[in-house]
Amino acid sequence: MRRLNGRKQIVILGGGSGGVVAATNLGRKLGHDHDVILIDKRADHLFMPAFLFLMVGERQTSDITRSLGHLAKRNVKFIQSEILSIDSTRQEVVLQNEKIAYDYLIVSLGLQTRPDLVAGFAEASTHPWELEGAAKLRDALAAFRGGRIIVGVPLGPYRCPPAPYEAQWMIDDYFRRKDMRDRVQIEYFTRDPEPAGEHRNPVVWMDAESRRRNIKQHYEFVVNSIDPEKKIVHGLYHYSISYDLLVMVPPHRPAQVLFDCGLAETENGIRVDYQSMKTKWENVYAIGDCADMPASKSGGVAHQEADVLAHNLTVEITRKGRPLDLWLHTI
Ligand SMILES: Cc1cc2nc3c(=O)[nH]c(=O)nc-3n(C[C@H](O)[C@H](O)[C@H](O)COP(=O)(O)OP(=O)(O)OC[C@H]3O[C@@H](n4cnc5c(N)ncnc54)[C@H](O)[C@@H]3O)c2cc1C
C-alpha cells in the first residue's frame, strides 16, 4: 500500500491483551503521523484473568470490561467487525462491510474456546474461561449445597496453564469462607503425569499446594467424552470420574479465519520467528495466544511481545532508534 505522503497504515487484529498493548504503544508513538487501526468483533476489551474473581463474586462484569472505543484517545481508530479473511497478496483484511488495507499487520486473535471438540462438554461443564461461563459458575457455586466439584483440563493448548490451579484454590477458599468446606469434595484431573523435581519448579509447587488444601489430584487423565445425564467424565483406558459440578477448561484452538486464510497451520497457532514475531507473510506479525511460541499462552507473554514489536515497528517506520530483542521474562 503506497501513499504519497509516506503515511503508513498499521492494522491490529484483536482487542485482547496483545492487541490493546500494541495499539496503545503504536498510537502513542506514531498515531499523529500514521494510521493505527484496531479491529475486534466485540465492542469491549475483556480482562480475562479476572474471570476467576467474577466466578467467586469478587468482581462484576463492568469492573473487568472496557470499551475499545476509548482507544481513540490514544490515536487509535477502532472498527468493530468480525474479521472474515486476510489477503496477503493485496495486503488487505476482509471485514463484514469493508476491506482494510495494511502496510503492517499485527495478528493478536488469541485462542477460541471449542466446546464442540469433546462430546457432552457444552452441556456438562460450567467454567470461567469465558465471561458468560464465569457468571454461570458464580451462580452455580452460590447454589451448591455440597458434593463433588471436579476441575480439569483438556488436551491441547488453553489460556493460562496455571489458572486451573488458581480456580481450585479459589473454590477451596470460597467454601472455607462459607464454612462449608467439609461438605465439598474438590478434585482435579490433568493430562500430565504427577509433577516431580524441585519445589521451586512452579508445577511441583502448585501440585503440592493443591494437595495441602485437600484437593485430590488425578494424573494422566485424558478426557474422551462426558455424559451430562449421568454426570460422568469418561477418560481413555476406561477410567472415569463422576461429579456433581464440573469445572473443566474447554479445548481451545486458533480462530478459524486463521486456518481458512492459510496463516495458522497447527493447533498452537501461527508459526513465527521467535525474535521478530514475523510470520511467513511479508509485513505480517503474530503475537499473544495465536502465535506458536515456546512460551505459555498468557497475557503476560502477549504484553511483552506487543511492547517489543511496537517498538521495533516504530524504529522501522521512523528510522530512528534501535530495535530490541524479545526477552521473555515470564514463560
Ligand atoms: C480464567 C483465566 C485466567 C487467566 N489468568 C491469567 C493470568 O493470571 N496471567 C496472565 O498473564 N494471563 C492470564 N490469562 C490468559 C490471558 O487472558 C490470555 O493469554 C490473553 O488474553 C491473550 O491475549 P491475546 O491478545 O493473545 O488474545 P485475547 O485476549 O484472547 O484477544 C483476542 C481478541 O480477538 C478477537 N477475535 C478473535 N477472532 C476474531 C474474529 N474472527 N474477528 C474479530 N475479532 C476476533 C476476540 O474477540 C478477542 O478480543 C487468563 C485467562 C483466563 C481465561
Side-chain angles (χ1 to χ4, degrees), residues 48-59 64 128-129 134 137-138 141-142 149 151 160 162-179 181 184 186 188 205-206 209-210 212-213 215 245 247:
M48 291 196 272
F51 289 176
L52 296 175
F53 293 89
L54 198 136
M55 162 188 95
V56 291
E58 291 179 14
R59 293 288 185 285
I64 65 171
W129 261 253
L137 183 54
R138 175 195 56 207
L141 291 175
I149 300 182
V151 181
C160 196
Y165 284 97
E166 294 170 68
Q168 299 165 50
W169 306 336
M170 290 174 79
I171 292 171
D172 172 51
D173 285 341
Y174 178 85
F175 285 109
R176 281 180 202 278
R177 274 200 306 274
K178 287 181 94 172
D179 205 15
R181 184 63 175 90
V184 181
I186 306 173
Y188 175 62
W205 182 86
M206 292 190 296
E209 175 62 13
S210 290
R212 188 187 70 76
R213 289 169 177 260
I215 301 171
L245 177 61
V247 185

Side-chain angles (χ1 to χ4, degrees), residues 64-81:
I64 65 171
T65 52
R66 289 289 180 276
S67 167
L68 288 166
H70 290 335
L71 288 169
K73 286 189 271 184
R74 310 290 175 109
N75 309 315
V76 177
K77 180 179 170 189
F78 171 57
I79 300 174
Q80 184 181 359
S81 171

Side-chain angles (χ1 to χ4, degrees), residues 27-312:
R28 201 175 61 236
K29 290 171 175 157
L30 298 174
H32 291 295
D33 304 321
H34 303 277
D35 297 302
V36 181
I37 299 174
L38 182 136
I39 304 167
D40 199 296
K41 60 187 170 192
R42 303 189 69 115
D44 297 317
H45 170 78
L46 304 181
F47 185 64
M48 291 196 272
F51 289 176
L52 296 175
F53 293 89
L54 198 136
M55 162 188 95
V56 291
E58 291 179 14
R59 293 288 185 285
Q60 303 299 320
T61 301
S62 56
D63 300 328
I64 65 171
T65 52
R66 289 289 180 276
S67 167
L68 288 166
H70 290 335
L71 288 169
K73 286 189 271 184
R74 310 290 175 109
N75 309 315
V76 177
K77 180 179 170 189
F78 171 57
I79 300 174
Q80 184 181 359
S81 171
E82 179 86 29
I83 295 149
L84 300 181
S85 186
I86 303 167
D87 182 337
S88 62
T89 312
R90 301 175 73 92
Q91 298 215 165
E92 278 178 354
V93 180
V94 182
L95 306 184
Q96 286 157 309
N97 299 318
E98 58 187 319
K99 292 178 180 170
I100 303 289
Y102 63 82
D103 295 297
Y104 297 95
L105 183 70
I106 300 177
V107 183
S108 190
L109 290 178
L111 289 173
Q112 315 302 302
T113 57
R114 291 285 307 275
D116 56 300
L117 295 179
V118 173
F121 183 96
E123 302 85 346
S125 181
T126 312
H127 63 81
W129 261 253
E130 296 284 4
L131 180 64
E132 299 74 16
K136 255 176 92 178
L137 183 54
R138 175 195 56 207
D139 298 344
L141 291 175
F144 200 71
R145 295 289 164 260
R148 201 163 188 220
I149 300 182
I150 303 291
V151 181
V153 298
L155 285 178
Y158 56 86
R159 299 172 186 143
C160 196
Y165 284 97
E166 294 170 68
Q168 299 165 50
W169 306 336
M170 290 174 79
I171 292 171
D172 172 51
D173 285 341
Y174 178 85
F175 285 109
R176 281 180 202 278
R177 274 200 306 274
K178 287 181 94 172
D179 205 15
M180 289 176 57
R181 184 63 175 90
D182 54 339
R183 280 185 272 146
V184 181
Q185 203 177 327
I186 306 173
E187 300 185 19
Y188 175 62
F189 66 76
T190 166
R191 72 251 176 135
D192 296 322
E194 182 172 0
E198 292 184 38
H199 196 68
R200 62 183 177 164
N201 175 345
V203 77
V204 172
W205 182 86
M206 292 190 296
D207 175 68
E209 175 62 13
S210 290
R211 284 185 284 115
R212 188 187 70 76
R213 289 169 177 260
N214 196 22
I215 301 171
K216 183 173 174 188
Q217 306 286 293
H218 300 266
Y219 307 105
E220 299 182 57
F221 184 85
V222 176
V223 177
N224 235 348
S225 65
I226 307 172
D227 183 335
E229 298 287 315
K230 296 191 177 133
K231 297 196 169 193
I232 297 176
V233 185
H234 293 289
L236 285 182
Y237 315 122
H238 305 294
Y239 288 109
S240 63
I241 300 176
S242 64
Y243 62 87
D244 294 302
L245 177 61
L246 180 65
V247 185
M248 179 176 160
V249 179
H252 287 57
R253 293 292 183 273
Q256 191 56 41
V257 59
L258 297 177
F259 288 117
D260 294 345
C261 71
L263 189 54
E265 283 155 358
T266 75
E267 66 176 20
N268 279 320
I270 302 166
R271 290 212 177 91
V272 289
D273 176 86
Y274 295 158
Q275 274 298 324
S276 63
M277 310 307 296
K278 280 183 180 164
T279 70
K280 63 184 177 183
W281 289 348
E282 204 178 343
N283 298 326
V284 178
Y285 300 79
I287 58 172
D289 290 358
C290 72
D292 186 354
M293 287 285 284
S296 69
K297 305 288 190 190
S298 78
V301 168
H303 191 134
Q304 293 168 66
E305 292 166 352
D307 272 343
V308 171
L309 178 57
H311 172 87
N312 290 348

